[in-house]
Amino acid sequence: MVIEAVKLSVSYDNTQVIKEVSFTLAEGVVAVVGPNGAGKTTLLKAISGLVSYAGSLKIMNKDLRDFSAEERARLITYVPPLVDVMPDMSVGDLILSDPLVSKELLEEYIELFELSSLLKRRLSKVSSGELSRALLAKGLSKNSKIVALDEPLSHIDLRFQLILLKHLRVLSKGGKLILVASNQLNPLLSYVDRVVALKKGEVVFTGDVASFLRSSTPERIYGVKFEVVFKDGYVDIIPRELA
Amino acid sequence: MCPLMSSLEIFVLWRKRRFLTTLTLSALILAILFFTHLSLGYSVMNPLNVLLSGITQLITGSLGIEGYRVLRALTAVVVGATLALSGYLMQLSTKNPLADPYILGVSSGALFAVSLTLSISGYVLHPLMIGVRTITAFLGGLIAYLATLFIASKAGMSPTSLVLAGVAVGTFFYSASLLPQYFISRDIHKLIAWSMGSFVSPSADALILMISALLLTMSYAFYVRHPLNNLQVSDDFVKQLGWDPARLRRYSTLLASLITSFTVAWFGVIGFVGLAAPHISRRVLKSSELVFVLPTSIILGSALLTASDLLSKVLVAGVEIPVNVIASMIGAPVLALAIVELRRYGY
Ligand SMILES: Nc1ncnc2c1ncn2[C@@H]1O[C@H](COP(=O)(O)OP(=O)(O)O)[C@@H](O)[C@H]1O
Ligand SMILES: [Mg+2]
């Protein structure tokens, strides 16, 4: 198992926002879904070593706390949805600011996310989708075994959503575990191997996409009735009405 | 450009070329200002002669007019560099392009502490007091900085709330520092001149100490350049490099307050250089990369203050205008521009 969490809890100011969750995850693309405030970001940050937690979290059979900061930095990458930066930082400055990235991979991701013409542009003058693509290029170029993408689909357009999701599948075949926290079930769930569903800090479901969609979990966590269409290996999730 | 290069390589090359051009030009400007500074004064002298005999005098220890001029020009250069570095570190650690040791109240805190010590001790500008002045200046500056950060954090820590908190703290300490001066009967003119920034009495000891502090702080900043670059983006990125953002801020804050306080202890309050130099550097470089911004800021800070001191001694014949008057008149418009720009980008 790549990740093994046992009674994992995270608290902010004495309020538990991840509540003794236990799960295991192997290589593959994993959708982390759940309503706003369910704890998706917090879970991703705990796995990435960015917030302190109680309970046990094992990465490749080793306690996360036993990794050195440097080892952890190489092994796991967290990519935030957007960032506030100081003015005058350019897209190029941003993606070159991590000494752990590989230049060759960075060039590949500049191609993939079509950033070539944006490198000199100041971050205060790019759109949120462009910033999001730059953050993805920076994060993915680190080539970490575990990649935690926080809301990567929220700002990029449909074309880049497909480019990203198809690419994540390729990466996972190469042995990575990629966590994608998102509520864009369409098109996300057509491209993932597993689903972890969160509600109010608890993991209410882990399993494959079909079992997730056939269960009552989506309706329960979102409070919405869905119609689900399975076609040619893709799924279409249509929100119909409030439950 | 060369078709065999990737867009990333082209960008990296463009950024480096821009840096080297900017650095060369600013160094040239600084050199011209430095030699003009050596040359002008009560009498016009050949700057090369001033430099050569000045250095000889400094080494032998028998200070004449040339030695004095060299010492004063070097002091302006080093204080300018120090304030620029201090401002840059404050901007990085508060993630706020408006931060500057004067704007955030640090200089006034240091000024108040020194002013208070001098009035309590009763004897003014005595050489033995130098150590005491330095330490109290540091404590005063640090306390003022922490007060500003505290008030700003209560007000949401936005760029403008930090500046406003700094104005409140700075005004308090600046006014408070004027009080003790009225209890000191001797040397009141010297003291007031000092509080408004002056290089009229440069000292070789002060210069050596400031250069050491400057080099130490520069080395630290270069050593932590990767986390500092990422501090401009997000604390999570800093953590992902294996650094603790809180500790990084603490050390940067301490060093910035320390080096600012050294300049205040000897040469009084000088505002806006710490804001203007990094701001102009980033703007001209079109980059926020520390490896480029830091050296450019330091040289521009030196140039700004050398120009200010030059004007302060030649603008009115026979009169020394306080250097802060000139520096602020150059620097404050940069603050105004920076505020307008920030608004435009939705801060
Ligand atoms: N820094 C914080 N301090 C206090 N509470 C927080 C903090 N970050 C998030 N929370 C709270 O924790 C809960 C989970 O947040 P988060 O993990 O961001 O949810 P999600 O990403 O699923 O929308 C929410 O109720 C949120 O308000
Ligand atoms: Mg979130």
Side-chain angles (χ1 to χ4, degrees), chain A residues 45 49-50 69-70 72-73 76-80 83-90 92-100 103 106-107 110 116 119-120 122 124-125 135 138 142, chain B residues 1 6-12 14-15 91-92 94-97 226 229-230 232-237 239-243 279 282-283 286-289 292 341-342 345 347:
Chain A
K45 285 190 177 180
L50 298 176
E70 164 101 23
R72 208 179 52 213
I76 316 165
T77 301
Y78 168 81
V79 179
V83 286
D84 288 324
V85 291
M86 272 177 69
D88 292 311
M89 180 177 271
S90 65
D93 287 335
L94 175 70
I95 62 177
L96 284 167
S97 64
D98 191 332
L100 299 177
K103 287 272 159 63
L106 206 48
E107 295 189 343
I110 288 171
S116 302
L119 292 176
K120 291 181 191 171
R122 290 164 63 175
S124 46
K125 290 183 177 171
L135 289 169
K138 168 173 161 141
K142 251 174 77 188
Chain B
M1 261 193 231
S6 72
S7 57
L8 186 65
E9 286 168 327
I10 294 172
F11 171 77
V12 168
W14 169 80
R15 201 171 62 159
Q91 291 168 16
L92 293 178
T94 56
K95 204 174 161 180
N96 182 342
H226 296 304
N229 272 327
N230 279 275
Q232 304 175 68
V233 187
S234 121
D235 281 13
D236 285 342
F237 281 157
K239 288 185 200 164
Q240 294 200 68
L241 294 176
W243 291 84
H279 188 80
R282 279 191 297 256
R283 191 47 45 89
K286 294 187 191 284
S287 172
S288 67
E289 166 59 50
F292 304 141
E341 277 176 1
L342 275 182
Y345 297 127
Y347 278 80

Side-chain angles (χ1 to χ4, degrees), chain A residues 4-243:
Chain A
E4 200 177 337
V6 180
K7 294 202 167 179
L8 173 71
S9 303
V10 181
S11 304
Y12 293 125
D13 318 319
N14 295 324
T15 323
Q16 238 182 19
V17 297
I18 296 289
K19 297 166 184 161
E20 301 203 352
V21 302
S22 303
F23 58 86
T24 57
L25 294 171
E27 286 89 355
V29 186
V30 178
V32 179
V33 302
N36 297 151
K40 302 181 294 296
T41 297
T42 309
L43 184 66
L44 260 47
K45 285 190 177 180
I47 290 169
S48 314
L50 298 176
V51 293
S52 49
Y53 59 87
S56 144
L57 195 48
K58 281 194 178 142
I59 310 286
M60 321 277 291
N61 296 318
K62 186 173 164 183
D63 198 293
L64 181 59
R65 297 184 177 101
D66 294 339
F67 287 95
S68 73
E70 164 101 23
E71 283 174 323
R72 208 179 52 213
R74 287 187 188 280
L75 188 65
I76 316 165
T77 301
Y78 168 81
V79 179
L82 289 179
V83 286
D84 288 324
V85 291
M86 272 177 69
D88 292 311
M89 180 177 271
S90 65
V91 172
D93 287 335
L94 175 70
I95 62 177
L96 284 167
S97 64
D98 191 332
L100 299 177
V101 303
S102 116
K103 287 272 159 63
E104 290 76 42
L105 274 181
L106 206 48
E107 295 189 343
E108 283 177 30
Y109 283 111
I110 288 171
E111 290 281 306
L112 188 71
F113 294 119
E114 297 171 19
L115 295 166
S116 302
S117 59
L118 293 173
L119 292 176
K120 291 181 191 171
R121 187 91 62 86
R122 290 164 63 175
L123 287 172
S124 46
K125 290 183 177 171
V126 298
S127 78
S128 57
E130 290 163 340
L131 175 56
S132 182
R133 275 148 55 201
L135 289 169
L136 286 166
K138 168 173 161 141
L140 290 169
S141 304
K142 251 174 77 188
N143 201 15
S144 301
K145 168 91 179 165
I146 302 172
V147 185
L149 305 180
D150 198 353
E151 306 274 5
L153 305 175
S154 301
H155 301 281
I156 60 180
D157 63 40
L158 205 58
R159 189 180 127 73
F160 285 110
Q161 289 183 352
L162 280 196
I163 288 175
L164 174 66
L165 290 170
K166 283 179 190 293
H167 181 70
L168 295 182
R169 289 200 69 91
V170 175
L171 288 180
S172 74
K173 296 283 186 303
K176 290 188 197 299
L177 166 57
I178 297 155
L179 295 140
V180 184
S182 176
N183 281 315
Q184 264 145 304
L185 304 184
N186 265 336
L188 175 64
L189 293 192
S190 293
Y191 295 88
V192 304
D193 304 302
R194 288 175 78 76
V195 178
V196 172
L198 284 166
K199 186 176 185 186
K200 293 190 178 149
E202 291 184 65
V203 171
V204 293
F205 179 92
T206 50
D208 60 76
V209 177
S211 342
F212 173 67
L213 291 173
R214 292 199 173 102
S215 73
S216 60
T217 315
E219 181 177 332
R220 250 195 14 253
I221 61 174
Y222 288 112
V224 170
K225 285 192 199 302
F226 294 94
E227 182 190 329
V228 182
V229 181
F230 292 87
K231 199 170 181 231
D232 309 330
Y234 291 89
V235 289
D236 195 3
I237 301 123
I238 308 151
R240 283 290 188 194
E241 52 199 295
L242 298 176

Side-chain angles (χ1 to χ4, degrees), chain B residues 85-315:
Chain B
L85 178 60
S86 172
Y88 183 48
L89 282 178
M90 288 178 179
Q91 291 168 16
L92 293 178
S93 61
T94 56
K95 204 174 161 180
N96 182 342
L98 305 181
D100 162 279
Y102 174 65
I103 295 173
L104 298 191
V106 180
S107 310
S108 304
L111 182 74
F112 169 69
V114 175
S115 185
L116 191 66
T117 335
L118 290 178
S119 70
I120 289 172
S121 68
Y123 53 99
V124 172
L125 303 180
H126 185 280
L128 271 180
M129 284 294 292
I130 287 296
V132 180
R133 271 169 84 166
T134 314
I135 294 164
T136 48
F138 172 53
L139 290 177
L142 191 61
I143 288 169
Y145 195 14
L146 294 179
T148 300
L149 291 177
F150 176 75
I151 296 168
S153 73
K154 294 280 161 198
M157 208 63 198
S158 72
T160 31
S161 68
L162 187 68
V163 171
L164 292 176
V167 169
V169 171
T171 309
F172 175 82
F173 281 117
Y174 196 83
S175 311
S177 75
L178 298 177
L179 272 183
Q181 295 180 356
Y182 292 95
F183 297 102
I184 304 169
S185 44
R186 279 188 297 157
D187 287 338
I188 183 96
H189 287 296
K190 256 189 187 170
L191 207 66
I192 287 172
W194 159 71
S195 74
M196 294 171 74
S198 164
F199 297 132
V200 176
S201 331
S203 117
D205 293 341
L207 192 64
I208 289 165
L209 197 76
M210 278 191 314
I211 290 175
S212 320
L214 182 66
L215 289 178
L216 174 82
T217 310
M218 270 169 69
S219 318
Y220 171 76
F222 268 104
Y223 178 61
V224 296
R225 63 191 177 280
H226 296 304
L228 278 181
N229 272 327
N230 279 275
L231 206 57
Q232 304 175 68
V233 187
S234 121
D235 281 13
D236 285 342
F237 281 157
V238 178
K239 288 185 200 164
Q240 294 200 68
L241 294 176
W243 291 84
D244 177 357
R247 187 181 300 171
L248 199 61
R249 286 206 174 84
R250 205 149 52 233
Y251 290 162
S252 307
T253 300
L254 273 176
L255 284 171
S257 309
L258 183 73
I259 58 177
T260 300
S261 308
F262 281 3
T263 67
V264 175
W266 283 296
F267 306 110
V269 171
I270 298 160
F272 300 103
V273 175
L275 170 91
H279 188 80
I280 297 170
S281 304
R282 279 191 297 256
R283 191 47 45 89
V284 174
L285 293 168
K286 294 187 191 284
S287 172
S288 67
E289 166 59 50
L290 182 140
V291 171
F292 304 141
V293 176
L294 192 143
T296 312
S297 299
I298 283 176
I299 293 185
L300 278 183
S302 299
L304 265 173
L305 208 49
T306 308
S308 303
D309 192 46
L310 180 62
L311 288 175
S312 91
K313 67 174 180 175
V314 300
L315 219 50

